[in-house]
Amino acid sequence: MQKKLYPALLLAFGLAVAAIVFFKKQGPPALPEPKNRIGTLAMGGEWLNTKAAMEGLLAKLRADPSDQKSRLLLAEAYMQEGRVTGNHPYYDAAAMQLLQEVLKAEPESFEALCCQASLSLTQHHFSQGLALAEKAQALNPNSGYVYGLLTDANVELGHYDQAVKMADKMNQVRPDLTAYARVSYLREIHGDVPGAIQAMDMAVKAGFAGLEQTEWSRVALGHLYEVSGHLDQAQGYYQQALALRPNYAYALAGLARVAAARKDYATAIHNLNLARATVKDYAFTDELVDVYRLNKQPAEATKMAQESVAMLADAAQQANDNEELGHYTDRELAYAYLKTNELDKALEHAKIEYARRPDNIDVNETLAWVHYKRGEYAEAQKYMTVARRTNSQNPVLLCRAGLILSKTGQPAEGRALIEKAVQVAPYLNPEVTAEGEHLLAAR
């Protein structure tokens, strides 16, 4: 008996020692390091200050790995860096790692839960973002920031009445740039464009000139003028944003759209390529598809369309591989596949997005348009009815709705919507406008 017991004890002792050595070697996860900015984003003092702040937080964490405040601040810095550079795959993953470590040590950290909710919304994990924001709200119901997250999540899930309530609450608790910007969007999708412009103007004035959030709001204000047919005002705000934040990619893209609307395609292409070289955002590549087609460069348009699909498909695969973190891009992929004339794939991805958030007006518009392009007009009308339920006056939406009505036995109503869209802003979507004008010409 003892002869058998002794080897077993030796084996158990050996396994215990091996486990201790193994777990000791594992230690805490390595701290994620910031990536150097490239191109024009690396110029100027902002990057030097941002990098110094990040390195300072890393130094604190190396000296004291239990410093959860510094870990949280570093996660917030990485989230903002992802927004500035467009490198969301790296910085969002880095921020999530840091936030999970904070919450492991402090499970009821309100700030960490808010950051996790914000990350989920950035990655289009809207139901997850809503759940996290509600958990944070239960911990601190007096925070304006958490009501902003609840507004965003409810908007994206199509819970518009609840989104309005949350935005009102945010403005009661903390009226600032982010609160006014959310009111602006809600007014826009409910058809009140003048009210949306007023609120976004308040957002711009509440910010500090030159900061990314402020110039994002200024570009958004320009876009409101763009979609309502006022190109001169739109151009003015895009130029201001570019002057106050040199090389700002979204201001460059805005100026590119204005140039394209005025048929200055060379300038539009130049500005969009500058934007692409600065920030990783598939939208710039997608916009180039339209401009190249307008400029009668089909080979370049095809190349950009295929690149858009590749960028979005890669992001979608990452999301499928990691349900917790990874950017859902199915709605964007549906439109991208329409541009490559892959209608089955467009429908597949539109349906995937619809399954996640069937009440969202943008998702319903996407599915309606895919069905329209496939010649499935009754199905298109079903989803377009939902897409128009907030009374949005977006000209592209109106033109698409008009085209669908014209195919479903309501030609007079359809023509009225198309005429309104074409009169206000015919430049917003060249393909949709061309279809609408062709129908009007056939009168």
Side-chain angles (χ1 to χ4, degrees), residues 369 372 384 388 393-408 410-443:
W369 191 241
Y372 172 85
M384 183 54 76
R388 296 188 63 206
Q393 297 301 299
N394 182 282
V396 177
L397 172 67
L398 295 183
C399 195
R400 284 175 172 156
L403 287 164
I404 292 169
L405 284 169
S406 298
K407 295 288 189 178
T408 53
Q410 302 175 75
E413 296 91 332
R415 295 182 75 87
L417 288 177
I418 294 168
E419 286 173 352
K420 182 176 182 179
V422 170
Q423 183 179 9
V424 172
Y427 43 78
L428 287 178
N429 188 309
E431 179 196 7
V432 174
T433 297
E435 287 203 44
E437 290 177 337
H438 178 74
L439 187 144
L440 293 175
R443 187 171 184 170

Side-chain angles (χ1 to χ4, degrees), residues 252-275:
L252 286 166
L255 288 171
R257 291 193 301 272
V258 171
R262 291 172 174 160
K263 299 183 171 32
D264 181 2
Y265 302 129
T267 297
I269 291 167
H270 174 73
N271 283 340
L272 285 170
N273 276 316
L274 284 177

Side-chain angles (χ1 to χ4, degrees), residues 99-117:
L99 291 170
Q100 287 173 340
E101 291 169 19
V102 172
L103 287 166
K104 184 177 180 180
E106 301 174 6
E108 294 198 346
S109 169
F110 170 76
E111 293 82 2
L113 283 170
C114 283
C115 287
Q116 268 203 333

Side-chain angles (χ1 to χ4, degrees), residues 350-370:
K351 284 183 172 180
I352 290 171
E353 191 66 42
Y354 181 81
R356 291 192 192 108
R357 43 193 189 126
D359 297 323
N360 179 273
I361 57 173
D362 296 324
V363 173
N364 277 275
E365 179 185 359
T366 304
L367 194 49
W369 191 241
V370 171

Side-chain angles (χ1 to χ4, degrees), residues 217-227 230 233-234 237-238:
S217 299
R218 201 183 309 275
V219 167
L221 179 56
H223 189 61
L224 285 168
Y225 279 108
E226 182 185 341
V227 299
H230 303 289
Q233 289 94 325
Y237 284 110
Y238 296 147

Side-chain angles (χ1 to χ4, degrees), residues 31-304:
L31 290 168
E33 302 274 349
K35 300 276 189 182
N36 283 324
R37 291 186 186 179
I38 59 172
T40 55
L41 282 177
M43 298 167 60
E46 181 186 270
W47 170 233
L48 293 176
N49 293 334
T50 299
K51 187 177 181 182
M54 291 175 178
E55 289 175 345
L57 291 168
L58 284 165
K60 286 184 177 182
L61 285 168
R62 292 188 187 103
D64 180 8
S66 66
D67 182 358
Q68 303 306 332
K69 181 178 179 181
S70 292
R71 185 169 276 108
L72 178 63
L73 289 172
L74 185 60
E76 291 174 345
Y78 283 171
M79 289 167 64
Q80 178 61 18
E81 190 65 10
R83 177 184 171 103
V84 170
T85 63
N87 190 1
H88 286 288
Y90 177 78
Y91 281 112
D92 287 0
M96 183 61 79
Q97 175 191 322
L98 294 166
L99 291 170
Q100 287 173 340
E101 291 169 19
V102 172
L103 287 166
K104 184 177 180 180
E106 301 174 6
E108 294 198 346
S109 169
F110 170 76
E111 293 82 2
L113 283 170
C114 283
C115 287
Q116 268 203 333
S118 181
L119 266 181
S120 294
L121 296 176
T122 297
Q123 296 289 328
H124 292 190
H125 294 227
F126 299 120
S127 294
Q128 179 179 308
L130 177 61
L132 288 165
E134 288 175 339
K135 186 175 180 181
Q137 180 196 21
L139 293 172
N140 182 1
N142 299 313
S143 164
Y145 182 64
V146 77
Y147 288 108
L149 296 171
L150 289 167
T151 300
D152 295 343
N154 279 294
V155 163
E156 297 297 347
L157 291 170
H159 308 157
Y160 299 108
D161 290 344
Q162 185 67 9
V164 170
K165 291 177 184 177
M166 294 299 99
D168 285 346
K169 183 68 174 178
M170 184 183 189
N171 276 271
Q172 291 170 13
V173 175
R174 191 186 71 178
D176 62 2
L177 181 153
T178 57
Y180 299 141
R182 286 173 168 92
V183 168
S184 175
Y185 180 69
L186 284 166
R187 288 178 177 176
E188 180 190 3
I189 64 173
H190 284 90
D192 181 9
V193 176
I197 288 173
Q198 178 192 41
M200 194 60 77
D201 183 60
M202 292 172 67
V204 172
K205 290 173 179 174
F208 292 96
L211 290 184
E212 194 274 337
Q213 294 93 333
T214 307
E215 301 319 315
W216 181 92
S217 299
R218 201 183 309 275
V219 167
L221 179 56
H223 189 61
L224 285 168
Y225 279 108
E226 182 185 341
V227 299
S228 55
H230 303 289
L231 279 180
D232 288 343
Q233 289 94 325
Q235 181 180 24
Y237 284 110
Y238 296 147
Q239 288 173 335
Q240 286 179 35
L242 195 60
L244 292 164
R245 190 173 179 81
N247 307 302
Y248 189 41
Y250 297 98
L252 286 166
L255 288 171
R257 291 193 301 272
V258 171
R262 291 172 174 160
K263 299 183 171 32
D264 181 2
Y265 302 129
T267 297
I269 291 167
H270 174 73
N271 283 340
L272 285 170
N273 276 316
L274 284 177
R276 268 175 25 106
T278 304
V279 170
K280 297 178 181 178
D281 191 327
Y282 96 96
F284 305 141
T285 304
D286 181 67
E287 289 182 50
L288 271 169
V289 178
D290 295 330
V291 181
Y292 277 127
R293 284 177 178 170
L294 290 168
N295 203 38
K296 312 235 181 305
Q297 294 178 260
E300 287 297 324
T302 298
K303 178 182 175 184
M304 289 297 102

